Amino acid sequence: MNHLAGIEVAGQEFPWFIELGAWGLNKTDLQSDERPNETDDAQRISGGMPWYAPLTPAVGKLIRSMIRLTRHGGSALPGKIIEAIDPGFLRRTLNRLPYGVVLVSGTNGKTTTTRMVSTMLQEMGLDVFTNPTGSNFTRGIVSSLLAEIGLDGRLHADIAVLELDEAYAVHFVRHVSPRYSLLLNVMRDQLDRFGEIDTTARLLGQVAEATTGTIVLNREDGRIRRLAAHADTGVAVRYFGLADELRSYFPSDDEMYAWATTETARAQNSKASADQSATESNSPSSSDLPAADVVLADVEDHRASFIICGTRITTQVALEGIYNVYNAAAALAMAETVIEKTIGHPDAQDLAVALSHVTPAFGRGEIIQIETGPVELVLVKNPMGFRLSLQSFAAAAHKTMIAICDQYADGRDMSWLWDVDFRSLRETGVAMVSGDRAWDMALRLGYDGVCVAQTDPDLESAVERFVMADAGIPKRIFCTYTSMLRVRAKLSHMTDVADAGVGR
């Protein structure tokens, strides 16, 4: 097995595959529909319980305490160390849970959806373990476990609800077979890591194959919907979806591409191409799709109506961004499934009340108060997410900053910024652009005719100047993942910034 070889797409070798090789994945995992040999994987990964396994919890806690004391390294570092010295720790710990594991994955919405599912299950009476920081690699989950387990290695929870990066989800299911999987969507994201979205869909197909109980799928996303074919015999498949009148607000990646092609064709006065692209963008009506257990039926200002197993429920929603309301439909479908399988058929109204208590996850519409006014953080990490964020958060009456970093967790390739339409910012302009790729971002805004007042690659300095200026005017910062962590860290030196947590 050559772990150093890249995957070949259109004649190009992609170096990111070196990292997949380090996890034990190979080209076949991404290109074949065959189920992985779980027996061989389990033997290879666990290698049996090492003699020092009973000491792993104490060692892990000690490492975690030392790192926190010295403030050296990130939240996932203790997990990375424990993964290296005791690879079977994750598997042994999670396999003891009586109701198993819920795995949440997909391109957009993992953190908020995981938060919603966890909160609803807790309010319905289950003890839930989750990874609330959004550190969705296996090392992040191991770090979270070290904070929660006792010295005897036992996790006092009924069930785990875990978000996982699409690629690391494949790594995870070789350790632990999830009892439930919630697969949200597939969109172009971090192309230098995943390649095209068909590759990402194949990764999620392996998650579906490894699921032992119920798979909940987004019926509106064709690539996700087709993963039903990967369900093993005896595994249930359920769906969440949209009412027909809302579907234009939540375009799939293919529909976005078709619309962009149509717009370009129209600009070039090519009627034939426009008509063809418009035809390609047509999506099937709900009558042509599988029946959904939960359907998002209506959206108003911080209110939403859902049809849950035939019952229409309207509830308050504290989450920001219209896309998070659709994620709520996904969370309701999974929570309804888990409650039905564990403690009995749930009341739809009780689920809606629990949903109304969920607040935004950190960095996902989170508002931090400082002395000059509120600062809102909006995570953006791919063209679809950035487009929907710009649609959901009106620029008027706010000062806007954009912070773009290109670390590993962000994806190195920032060319996707050219697929985002920034024209909605023309009227207000952008007060500050910062981060490792500040000048790239400023150039991109210039091509859309958006004025930029200041550009400063020094993120910490830029954040301080931005939030302290123009007292009384609300601020909003669109930021990639690692820039969001740095912005929160900087703001924590200026005001109280809550730890990332679950639920309310």
Side-chain angles (χ1 to χ4, degrees):
M1 180 183 298
N2 180 12
H3 286 165
L4 297 180
I7 189 170
E8 185 173 338
V9 178
Q12 299 295 317
E13 286 283 311
F14 284 77
W16 52 266
F17 198 69
I18 292 172
E19 297 168 31
L20 296 181
W23 305 335
L25 305 182
N26 57 51
K27 193 179 295 187
T28 303
D29 294 327
L30 302 180
Q31 297 179 326
S32 170
D33 289 330
E34 294 181 2
R35 183 176 181 141
N37 187 328
E38 294 181 355
T39 302
D40 290 347
D41 282 345
Q43 291 173 347
R44 177 180 58 78
I45 291 169
S46 66
M49 183 183 294
W51 64 268
Y52 51 81
L55 301 176
T56 298
V59 172
K61 286 178 174 293
L62 178 62
I63 294 170
R64 183 172 180 273
S65 297
M66 293 175 62
I67 289 174
R68 290 172 69 87
L69 186 64
T70 61
R71 298 185 178 183
H72 178 74
S75 61
L77 184 56
K80 186 175 183 179
I81 296 172
I82 291 300
E83 275 193 314
I85 64 177
D86 186 359
F89 170 74
L90 178 69
R91 185 169 183 265
R92 292 196 309 272
T93 306
L94 293 180
N95 279 347
R96 292 173 176 169
L97 294 174
Y99 296 144
V101 171
V102 178
L103 190 157
V104 181
S105 192
T107 304
N108 286 329
K110 294 184 288 293
T111 300
T112 298
T113 306
T114 299
R115 182 181 178 90
M116 288 189 278
V117 174
S118 301
T119 300
M120 284 190 277
L121 295 185
Q122 286 177 338
E123 293 216 4
M124 301 301 285
L126 294 179
D127 287 332
V128 179
F129 166 75
T130 188
N131 52 336
T133 66
S135 181
N136 53 28
F137 296 176
T138 51
R139 68 190 65 159
I141 295 172
V142 172
S143 290
S144 297
L145 282 172
L146 292 172
E148 297 293 329
I149 61 171
L151 292 175
D152 60 356
R154 292 195 176 277
L155 178 64
H156 299 288
D158 298 316
I159 192 168
V161 181
L162 305 173
E163 71 155 296
L164 279 146
D165 168 280
E166 301 92 298
Y168 270 91
V170 176
H171 182 52
F172 177 86
V173 299
R174 292 186 165 189
H175 291 258
V176 181
S177 295
R179 194 169 301 178
Y180 310 92
S181 290
L182 173 54
L183 304 179
L184 299 170
N185 47 61
V186 179
M187 297 176 183
R188 284 172 177 80
D189 182 27
Q190 301 187 47
L191 296 179
D192 50 333
R193 286 187 63 212
F194 298 128
E196 276 296 340
I197 54 178
D198 287 331
T199 304
T200 308
R202 280 195 289 272
L203 293 173
L204 295 180
Q206 295 188 45
V207 174
E209 290 170 352
T211 303
T212 61
T214 302
I215 305 169
V216 177
L217 302 174
N218 180 0
R219 74 172 185 183
E220 314 296 341
D221 186 317
R223 288 180 177 79
I224 293 294
R225 187 171 65 244
R226 289 192 286 274
L227 296 181
H230 292 252
D232 207 348
T233 303
V235 173
V237 179
R238 296 186 175 186
Y239 297 92
F240 62 96
L242 294 163
D244 282 342
E245 53 270 30
L246 293 181
R247 298 177 76 191
S248 62
Y249 294 98
F250 302 91
S252 69
D253 198 278
D254 289 336
E255 289 166 341
M256 289 283 288
Y257 174 76
W259 290 346
T261 304
T262 301
E263 189 171 315
T264 301
R266 284 174 176 157
Q268 296 172 345
N269 296 318
S270 173
K271 184 177 184 305
S273 296
D275 290 345
Q276 180 181 356
S277 297
T279 299
E280 290 172 353
S281 71
N282 289 336
S283 54
S285 69
S286 57
S287 60
D288 299 323
L289 297 173
D293 289 73
V294 177
V295 172
L296 175 60
D298 194 15
V299 179
E300 302 173 36
D301 182 24
H302 289 99
R303 288 177 65 82
S305 296
F306 302 91
I307 299 173
I308 305 174
C309 298
T311 302
R312 187 181 181 100
I313 298 293
T314 299
T315 184
Q316 294 287 332
V317 181
L319 303 167
E320 301 294 338
I322 188 172
Y323 46 91
N324 278 328
V325 182
Y326 188 37
N327 291 333
L332 283 166
M334 177 51 79
E336 193 269 343
T337 297
V338 172
I339 295 300
E340 178 186 315
K341 301 287 184 183
T342 54
I343 58 180
H345 189 72
D347 183 274
Q349 186 63 51
D350 290 342
L351 287 172
V353 170
L355 175 66
S356 71
H357 296 157
V358 181
T359 56
F362 79 116
R364 281 80 172 173
E366 175 189 26
I367 295 177
I368 298 174
Q369 292 287 342
I370 66 168
E371 61 179 284
T372 55
V375 179
E376 188 172 30
L377 306 184
V378 181
L379 176 69
V380 291
K381 60 191 188 73
N382 52 51
M384 177 67 80
F386 213 150
R387 280 173 178 245
L388 291 176
S389 294
L390 290 171
Q391 291 175 12
S392 298
F393 298 90
H398 284 75
K399 288 289 183 180
T400 299
M401 174 175 172
I402 301 177
I404 304 295
C405 289
D406 62 353
Q407 300 303 303
Y408 173 74
D410 304 304
R412 301 288 187 182
D413 180 2
M414 286 292 135
S415 61
W416 60 267
L417 291 171
W418 292 88
D419 293 330
V420 182
D421 184 350
F422 292 100
R423 290 176 293 178
S424 63
L425 296 173
R426 278 179 179 172
E427 186 172 342
T428 60
V430 173
M432 178 71 76
V433 173
S434 186
D436 305 333
R437 304 294 287 271
W439 292 109
D440 297 77
M441 186 68 245
L443 177 65
R444 175 67 190 92
L445 291 170
Y447 270 85
D448 266 358
V450 178
C451 293
V452 176
Q454 297 184 68
T455 301
D456 182 0
D458 184 335
L459 183 53
E460 285 71 22
S461 171
V463 167
E464 182 168 3
R465 292 208 311 280
F466 173 70
V467 301
M468 295 307 294
D470 302 307
I473 300 178
K475 313 292 194 311
R476 179 176 295 133
I477 304 177
F478 295 98
C479 38
T480 55
Y481 183 71
T482 64
S483 59
M484 183 264 290
L485 297 179
R486 289 173 60 185
V487 169
R488 287 185 101 250
K490 178 61 182 179
L491 294 177
S492 70
H493 293 291
M494 306 172 69
T495 187
D496 290 333
V497 176
D499 286 340
V502 178
R504 293 170 287 181

